[in-house]
Amino acid sequence: MSQELTAEQITEALQGITVPPQPQIMVDLQMEQYMPDPDLGVIARLISQDPGLSGALLKIVNSAHYGLSNKIASIERAVNLLGSRSVINIINAQSIKGEMSDETIVTLNRFWDTAQDVANTSLTLAKRIGSQTVDESYALGLFHDCGIPLMLKRFPDYMDTLEEAYANAGPETRVVDTENTVLNTNHSVVGYYTAKSWRLPDHVSNAIANHHNALAIFKDDTGSNPPLKNLLSVLKMAEHICESYRVLGNQTEDREWAAIGHLILDYVGLSEYDFENLKESIRELGAH
C-alpha cells in the first residue's frame, strides 16, 4: 500500500547531494506522467536507468517515513511503495534541480552511458553466475560512479584527471590514487557519501567506496567480507565488459583489470576461457 508524500516532505527529503538526471529520461518520464493512466511499470523501468532519479527515490523510500525494517535497493519495489503521485512529484522536484549547460550534458553522457551499461551487465552477470544479490548488483552498477558528476561540478577539468587516473592504473596505483594526488579527494569517496545520503544499504555504499580498491580486497584470502567481494566481483567484471576504461578513461587497454582480473575470476570460479565466452554472449545480448 503506497503512502502519498506532501510536497514539503519531498523537498525536505531531497535536500543535500543531487546527481543531475539524464535529460532524455526526464522527457520520457514526463510524457508517461501525462498519460491518462500512468504505468508504474514503465515509470520504474525509466527511473531504473538513471542514477540521480533512482537515488532520490531510494532516499525517500528508505527514510524513517516508511519505517522499513531493511533498506532496499530495488527501484521497482520503491516505485510500488511510493505510488504514482509521489513518484511523479519526486521526478518533477528533480527536474527543477537538473538544469545543466549543453557542455555539461555532453560531458555527462559518458557517465550516463556507462552507468546504464554497467548496471544492465551486472544484472545479467549476477543471474548467470547464480549470485544471491541480483537487485543489489544492478544498483551498484548504476550507482558505483555517482561521484563523477559531483566531482565534475566541483572541478571543471575533472574528466582530464579521470583519464590520467585510468592511464596510471596498475598493480601499484589505484585509479583513485591519481585523483587523491591532484584533487585531494576522489569519486569513490564522494560516491560513498552520496550513497549514504540516499540511504542505500550499507554494503552497497561500502562497495561504492571500495570499487577501485579491489586488488587489496581480493588479495585478502582469509575469507573476510564475502558480501563486499560478491558485489565487487560482479561489478569489476561488468566494468571490464562495458569498457569503462575506454568510455570514462579514454584508454585503449584496461590496466585495472590486468592487475585484478585473475583474482576476480578465481573468486567466482571462472576460467579465462569461460569469462571470454560469457563476455561475448553478454555483448551479443545487447547488455552492453
Side-chain angles (χ1 to χ4, degrees), residues 3 7 9 22 41 101 108 127 132 164 169 189 249 262 276 284:
Q3 303 173 46
Q9 286 172 314
Q22 189 171 1
S101 69
L108 280 177
K127 289 176 178 176
Q132 301 301 305
E164 183 187 345
V189 169
H262 64 289
E276 285 303 313
E284 283 168 16

Side-chain angles (χ1 to χ4, degrees), residues 170-239:
E172 305 300 323
T173 307
R174 303 173 303 167
V175 167
V176 291
D177 289 337
T178 301
E179 292 182 64
N180 288 339
T181 301
V182 176
L183 304 171
N184 291 320
T185 187
N186 66 72
H187 74 275
S188 296
V189 169
V190 173
Y192 169 78
Y193 286 110
T194 304
K196 294 294 279 185
S197 85
W198 286 340
R199 306 184 184 96
L200 296 188
D202 286 344
H203 46 291
V204 176
S205 300
N206 289 335
I208 291 169
N210 284 288
H211 77 278
H212 287 298
N213 201 30
L215 185 60
I217 289 164
F218 285 93
K219 266 186 172 176
D220 177 3
D221 55 7
T222 61
S224 63
N225 213 336
L228 180 62
K229 286 180 176 175
N230 292 343
L231 282 173
L232 283 182
S233 58
V234 172
L235 175 68
K236 299 317 286 186
M237 288 191 290
E239 282 187 309

Side-chain angles (χ1 to χ4, degrees), residues 66-288:
Y66 281 88
L68 299 179
S69 53
N70 292 306
K71 291 178 179 178
I72 65 169
S74 166
I75 310 305
E76 187 177 359
R77 199 171 154 211
V79 168
N80 287 328
L81 280 167
L82 287 164
S84 59
R85 189 170 300 166
S86 288
V87 170
I88 286 166
N89 287 339
I90 292 162
I91 292 165
N92 291 339
Q94 288 298 98
S95 70
I96 294 164
K97 294 180 176 183
E99 292 174 7
M100 295 170 288
S101 69
D102 290 344
E103 186 181 349
T104 305
I105 288 169
V106 169
T107 306
L108 280 177
N109 277 335
R110 290 163 71 181
F111 158 72
W112 284 315
D113 288 348
T114 195
Q116 289 180 31
D117 265 357
V118 173
N120 288 331
T121 302
S122 294
L123 179 69
T124 305
L125 277 169
K127 289 176 178 176
R128 291 281 188 93
I129 67 172
S131 171
Q132 301 301 305
T133 56
V134 173
D135 277 346
E136 289 174 346
S137 290
Y138 182 90
L140 178 60
L142 191 67
F143 295 133
H144 71 289
D145 278 334
C146 64
I148 286 177
L150 297 164
M151 292 289 284
L152 186 61
K153 193 173 178 181
R154 185 171 168 191
F155 306 106
D157 297 327
Y158 172 69
M159 295 309 289
D160 294 338
T161 302
L162 190 61
E163 289 178 13
E164 183 187 345
Y166 272 95
N168 292 341
E172 305 300 323
T173 307
R174 303 173 303 167
V175 167
V176 291
D177 289 337
T178 301
E179 292 182 64
N180 288 339
T181 301
V182 176
L183 304 171
N184 291 320
T185 187
N186 66 72
H187 74 275
S188 296
V189 169
V190 173
Y192 169 78
Y193 286 110
T194 304
K196 294 294 279 185
S197 85
W198 286 340
R199 306 184 184 96
L200 296 188
D202 286 344
H203 46 291
V204 176
S205 300
N206 289 335
I208 291 169
N210 284 288
H211 77 278
H212 287 298
N213 201 30
L215 185 60
I217 289 164
F218 285 93
K219 266 186 172 176
D220 177 3
D221 55 7
T222 61
S224 63
N225 213 336
L228 180 62
K229 286 180 176 175
N230 292 343
L231 282 173
L232 283 182
S233 58
V234 172
L235 175 68
K236 299 317 286 186
M237 288 191 290
E239 282 187 309
H240 179 64
I241 290 170
C242 296
E243 300 182 343
S244 296
Y245 62 92
R246 182 180 57 80
V247 182
L248 292 174
N250 198 26
Q251 301 302 307
T252 55
E253 58 182 299
D254 193 343
R255 293 178 176 86
E256 186 178 44
W257 180 256
I260 64 171
H262 64 289
L263 295 170
I264 304 283
L265 296 183
D266 280 350
Y267 181 78
V268 298
L270 288 174
S271 67
E272 288 276 359
Y273 179 78
D274 291 336
F275 180 60
E276 285 303 313
N277 285 338
L278 187 57
K279 179 162 72 173
E280 289 310 311
S281 70
I282 287 173
R283 284 179 174 169
E284 283 168 16
L285 272 176
H288 172 51

